[in-house]
Amino acid sequence: MFTGLLDCSILKRAQDKKLVEFAVHNLRDYTTNKHRRVDDYPFGGEAGMVIQIEPVDNVIAALKLQREYDEVIYTSPDGEVFNQQIANQMSSYENIIILCGHYKGIDYRIREHLITREISIGDYVLTGGELAAAVMADAIVRLLPGAIGDEQSALSDSFQDNLLAPPVYTRPAKYKGWQVPDILLSGHQAKIDEWKLQQAIERTQRLRPDLFEKKD
Ligand code: ADE
């Protein structure tokens, strides 16, 4: 599932252009037991299996021998909620490890000793962290210079500046009697820019007033 998502659209193009490289590692390849088991029963007797520390420690140690990492991230609903500021920050990183969470959890010592940051993509529970990692990868990689066609468009995204994007329209200017706002057809760039800003502010106030309270 995860590699399929990485090989689509912008993520695929960014890899083809050598802007980013992904390496997906299977924990089973870092086990030392005969059956390549990566989980075991929890101490204290709860239901469900827990990912063991050894294969996780092994994979992280093997990767760190090859290069330095800016962050070792664990995807979990307990984490800091991912947003555009975090995507911006991570787009400047050289190397990131993302350890995908597991529905019943991982040995807590991994989180205490090996992880530098825990990230959630929202207040809901996924079955595993793969989709969360793919969401983060998409949001981060599209910010890399050259990843999307129009360099300007990443800067004018919703959430840059904590404002939602203004509406956009294209031809035809009138469809079934539905009209594109006159200002956009006026050719008066300064007035158009002012209208876009007003729209961005109005939409943010109406739809996401919480964004206005963010100062960063
Ligand atoms: N794993 C399970 N649910 C998650 C979430 N909401 N965000 C990140 N990782 C998760």
Side-chain angles (χ1 to χ4, degrees):
M1 174 175 77
F2 188 60
T3 45
L5 288 168
L6 297 182
D7 280 337
C8 294
S9 175
I10 283 177
L11 293 183
K12 165 99 170 77
R13 212 173 66 193
Q15 289 177 88
D16 291 345
K17 287 175 141 183
K18 308 248 179 286
L19 302 175
V20 66
E21 240 181 276
F22 297 109
V24 179
H25 303 274
N26 186 342
L27 279 187
R28 289 188 194 284
D29 298 336
Y30 296 86
T31 50
T32 51
N33 64 79
K34 197 169 88 194
H35 299 291
R36 307 200 333 139
R37 265 184 74 169
V38 296
D39 56 7
D40 207 336
Y41 295 96
F43 286 124
E46 255 211 60
M49 306 296 272
V50 174
I51 297 287
Q52 293 171 286
I53 191 168
E54 192 191 15
V56 176
D57 189 29
N58 288 346
V59 67
I60 292 174
L63 296 178
K64 282 184 171 173
L65 280 180
Q66 294 163 24
R67 51 181 66 82
E68 284 183 14
Y69 287 89
D70 297 279
E71 209 101 73
V72 182
I73 295 162
Y74 174 59
T75 58
S76 158
D78 311 359
E80 184 186 354
V81 178
F82 190 65
N83 61 20
Q84 193 64 41
Q85 277 73 38
I86 300 175
N88 289 345
Q89 179 190 28
M90 292 186 177
S91 72
S92 70
Y93 287 171
E94 282 292 311
N95 300 299
I96 308 174
I97 292 175
I98 304 180
L99 175 65
C100 294
H102 172 260
Y103 73 102
K104 203 52 204 166
I106 61 174
D107 188 311
Y108 204 73
R109 287 167 295 184
I110 298 169
R111 297 168 69 172
E112 288 172 324
H113 302 289
L114 304 176
I115 296 298
T116 62
R117 194 164 186 179
E118 302 197 350
I119 300 277
S120 163
I121 61 159
D123 289 339
Y124 40 81
V125 180
L126 302 166
T127 344
E130 290 81 2
L131 284 173
V135 165
M136 291 168 62
D138 187 284
I140 294 166
V141 169
R142 64 190 300 285
L143 295 171
L144 300 176
I148 50 180
D150 175 4
E151 297 269 333
Q152 267 313 104
S153 70
L155 294 176
S156 59
D157 283 340
S158 281
F159 295 110
Q160 296 289 2
D161 306 328
N162 290 331
L163 286 177
L164 300 182
V168 292
Y169 301 86
T170 188
R171 271 176 280 273
K174 193 169 184 178
Y175 179 74
K176 290 186 176 173
W178 300 325
Q179 186 83 40
V180 170
D182 286 339
I183 182 77
L184 293 177
L185 310 173
S186 70
H188 196 304
Q189 198 56 51
K191 287 209 168 126
I192 292 174
D193 290 344
E194 194 187 310
W195 179 86
K196 285 183 179 171
L197 180 62
Q198 271 171 9
Q199 289 288 318
I201 293 170
E202 186 280 319
R203 294 187 77 240
T204 311
Q205 262 163 348
R206 181 162 47 87
L207 301 170
R208 292 294 308 276
D210 56 300
L211 289 178
F212 268 124
E213 281 138 42
K214 285 192 180 170
K215 285 282 172 283
D216 43 283

